[in-house]
Amino acid sequence: MNASSDFSSRQTIGRFAPSSTGPLHFGSLVCALLSYIMAKREQGKWLVRIEDVDRERCKDKYADSILRTLEAHGLLWDGEVVYQSKRSEIYRAYLAKFEAKEYLYGCNCSRKAIKSRADHYDQYCRTRNIPLTEHALRFKNPGDIQSFADLFLGQATIQNYLTYEDPVLKRADGISAYHLAVVADDIEQSITQVVRGMDLLSVTPLHIQLYKALSHVQPSYAHFPLAVHSAGVKYAKQAFSTPIDNNMFLQNLHACLEFIGIHHTRIPKTTASPELLSWSIDNWHPDLLPKHAEIIVSEANGIYSVMKP
């Protein structure tokens, strides 16, 4: 396993890590393109990881569909694709690290029991000495990280229950939770740069806390506006957003570039995605990204129109 190191002296390594619960939608394509550009403008690597640790919700057909969509848009990754479903031993090893540092405790609270006591988990089992086997495992969150430097937002301060709550790292059914898997994977893949939507901004202090507990240097974080159908209704697989049409790859890339701040009159009229991506790497800058939490994107017959914020 990779030892702690100073990311400032290393090659930039970004990643795109979609869950395979459905095909890519517009918001996911924006994330893929932006993370690709951010890595490549630093002459770095761009990796792809399929987050399919929850095998009940994730399907292999969607993982294949996601990869075909990336290829159709010229977003070609470096190295092999990593699948979380094949990394259970790594997650167990990271749980052992947290246990050795006395950051883990067992919890047998049901969701109903938690809801009857509070709006969120209240550390009820922290001192109950519940065995770590056959129960959910929670992280003893020190809760002393509320702010961090964001590449897009500047200094971001988050103060909500997620900052202080003790999250589940492994479910009672043995499935590794998102918080454990994403941090373990980013460490193992030497990720130095995480580009993701504003919907994950609130969990970033917790992820930094997990890095700190492991005595590992955190990656840089960059959170971009969410693509929404209307105010508060984001593009998402759960919202049955229209899947990306691979046959319209140029129109899709144009819409994504407008979304991240490049005016449509500046986008070259090439018909080749490699040329367009190369131009984007050379001409896009983080200062162009709109400073909004959400951007409305309309869709009709597979054509996306970005509304001016």
Side-chain angles (χ1 to χ4, degrees):
M1 293 187 182
N2 299 322
S4 175
S5 58
D6 180 3
F7 284 154
S8 63
S9 62
R10 299 175 58 197
Q11 180 186 35
T12 296
I13 302 179
R15 49 78 162 172
F16 176 55
S19 61
S20 54
T21 55
L24 283 191
H25 53 73
F26 182 79
S28 299
L29 187 61
V30 169
C31 185
L33 176 64
L34 187 53
S35 60
Y36 178 89
I37 291 174
M38 285 285 287
K40 295 302 181 179
R41 69 191 297 270
E42 301 292 339
Q43 293 78 49
K45 293 182 179 180
W46 186 67
L47 310 183
V48 169
R49 180 170 72 233
I50 300 297
E51 298 195 336
D52 61 346
V53 68
D54 188 342
R55 297 302 291 165
E56 291 184 6
R57 297 177 60 244
C58 298
K59 307 297 180 185
D60 291 341
K61 65 177 182 179
Y62 292 136
D64 292 339
S65 170
I66 288 168
L67 297 179
R68 301 296 79 79
T69 295
L70 294 176
E71 289 177 330
H73 290 77
L75 296 168
L76 306 180
W77 52 90
D78 297 301
E80 295 184 2
V81 176
V82 165
Y83 294 82
Q84 285 187 335
S85 58
K86 300 177 181 180
R87 298 169 69 80
S88 57
E89 290 186 9
I90 290 174
Y91 304 145
R92 282 195 292 269
Y94 273 81
L95 283 172
K97 287 174 178 278
F98 285 118
E99 182 182 359
K101 292 174 175 282
E102 299 184 343
Y103 275 112
L104 288 187
Y105 65 93
C107 175
N108 61 5
C109 294
S110 65
R111 292 184 180 179
K112 182 177 179 180
I114 294 171
K115 190 173 182 179
S116 70
R117 298 194 306 263
D119 293 333
H120 55 274
Y121 185 69
D122 55 358
Q123 301 181 354
Y124 180 76
C125 291
R126 255 205 193 197
T127 59
R128 295 183 63 206
N129 296 318
I130 294 173
L132 298 184
T133 56
E134 300 181 6
H135 296 102
L137 298 182
R138 290 187 180 271
F139 172 70
K140 294 179 183 177
N141 184 3
D144 58 356
I145 296 175
Q146 292 90 44
S147 64
F148 63 96
D150 188 281
L151 294 178
F152 295 153
L153 304 175
Q155 195 66 22
T157 299
I158 311 297
Q159 291 182 325
N160 58 29
Y161 76 91
L162 293 171
T163 307
Y164 309 98
E165 189 180 49
D166 291 353
V168 170
L169 296 188
K170 189 186 79 169
R171 294 173 7 186
D173 61 6
I175 293 177
S176 297
Y178 166 74
H179 301 301
L180 172 68
V182 71
V183 169
D185 286 336
D186 283 346
I187 291 174
E188 289 297 302
Q189 292 188 281
S190 299
I191 301 300
T192 67
Q193 186 181 86
V194 173
V195 178
R196 58 192 187 186
M198 290 282 283
D199 53 337
L200 290 171
L201 182 67
S202 60
V203 302
T204 302
L206 169 61
H207 291 176
I208 295 173
Q209 194 78 70
L210 293 172
Y211 275 94
K212 182 179 177 181
L214 293 168
S215 301
H216 199 284
V217 178
Q218 72 197 51
S220 61
Y221 289 93
H223 293 84
F224 63 89
L226 293 179
V228 298
H229 296 278
S230 58
V233 183
K234 70 177 182 176
Y235 277 75
K237 301 180 185 74
Q238 294 85 347
F240 303 103
S241 298
T242 304
I244 291 292
D245 184 347
N246 294 340
N247 293 319
M248 303 181 71
F249 64 91
L250 277 178
Q251 294 94 326
N252 297 336
L253 289 173
H254 278 229
C256 288
L257 289 173
E258 288 189 57
F259 186 94
I260 63 174
I262 297 181
H263 195 275
H264 68 89
T265 58
R266 292 191 58 213
I267 300 173
K269 299 186 183 301
T270 176
T271 58
S273 57
E275 291 179 12
L276 182 57
L277 291 173
S278 178
W279 179 90
S280 303
I281 293 165
D282 291 337
N283 288 271
W284 183 83
H285 188 276
D287 290 344
L288 294 172
L289 190 73
K291 308 300 182 186
H292 299 274
E294 299 179 345
I295 297 176
I296 295 175
V297 179
S298 63
E299 182 271 330
N301 299 319
I303 299 176
Y304 299 93
S305 298
V306 180
M307 309 299 288
K308 187 175 181 180

